[in-house]
Amino acid sequence: MASQLAVFVRRRFRASQESVFRAFTEPSLLTQWFSPSEDIGVEVLEHNFSIGGRYRFGFRFPDGHRNTVLGEFREISAPDRLVFTWTWEAPDRHAGIETLVIVRIEQIGSETEVVVTHERFPSWESRDRHDAGWTTTLYRLEALIGK
């Protein structure tokens, strides 16, 4: 069933659980890594980091177009778990479709493991687009906080 399509991306970092959590939650850090490519800039347009708080991120692409994603923080359990909705705004072809992101951050010895589960995709095309995005975005996080 299409509503069960999900992305599951796992990555380990040589960084503390707290520093990884901060990278996911502080706007000044998010602008340094939270996009699938260094060619795609990200702006934090809104960031009310509280349960029920909203966020909006604007992505600037090399060809000049922009996409904006918005969502609501559903669960915040520092430093190990974040749950938030994810909805693209128009003119994105998936505008208005709310999906759900679950980020688990676990300290394992001297490393921290991040598991991103992004679910509720309406199509395989949408799921695959986000799978590629999360995979490369976590590589950018690695460049920021270390491997």
Side-chain angles (χ1 to χ4, degrees):
M1 176 179 257
S3 64
Q4 296 176 341
L5 296 177
V7 167
F8 182 79
V9 179
R10 177 187 311 261
R11 189 132 183 92
R12 283 201 182 181
F13 305 93
R14 290 188 189 191
S16 71
Q17 184 180 30
E18 292 77 12
S19 66
V20 174
F21 187 83
R22 279 193 312 275
F24 271 93
T25 61
E26 293 182 10
S28 64
L29 295 174
L30 284 164
T31 59
Q32 297 178 52
W33 72 275
F34 198 73
S35 74
S37 164
E38 65 183 42
D39 295 336
I40 301 171
V42 63
E43 296 174 88
V44 177
L45 305 171
E46 179 181 354
H47 194 264
N48 178 2
F49 188 62
S50 61
I51 295 176
R54 306 215 23 103
Y55 71 87
R56 284 181 76 227
F57 300 144
F59 295 92
R60 296 176 317 279
F61 291 82
D63 66 4
H65 86 274
R66 294 173 177 261
N67 281 1
T68 303
V69 69
L70 61 85
E72 178 181 298
F73 294 104
R74 297 277 175 89
E75 183 180 333
I76 300 170
S77 179
D80 60 354
R81 186 174 161 93
L82 289 171
V83 179
F84 50 93
T85 61
W86 181 276
T87 307
W88 290 104
E89 293 182 351
D92 188 272
R93 65 186 175 274
H94 298 111
I97 299 168
E98 182 178 277
T99 57
L100 187 71
V101 178
I102 301 159
V103 179
R104 187 174 52 83
I105 303 167
E106 182 180 355
Q107 189 77 44
I108 301 174
S110 63
E111 296 182 322
T112 297
E113 182 174 75
V114 172
V115 178
V116 175
T117 304
H118 193 161
E119 54 191 37
R120 302 182 185 168
F121 291 105
S123 66
W124 280 102
E125 186 271 334
S126 178
R127 181 248 174 243
D128 291 349
R129 172 184 164 199
H130 287 83
D131 182 53
W134 279 112
T135 298
T136 55
T137 296
L138 290 182
Y139 280 116
R140 295 200 63 224
L141 174 59
E142 178 180 81
L144 177 68
I145 64 173
K147 180 175 179 181

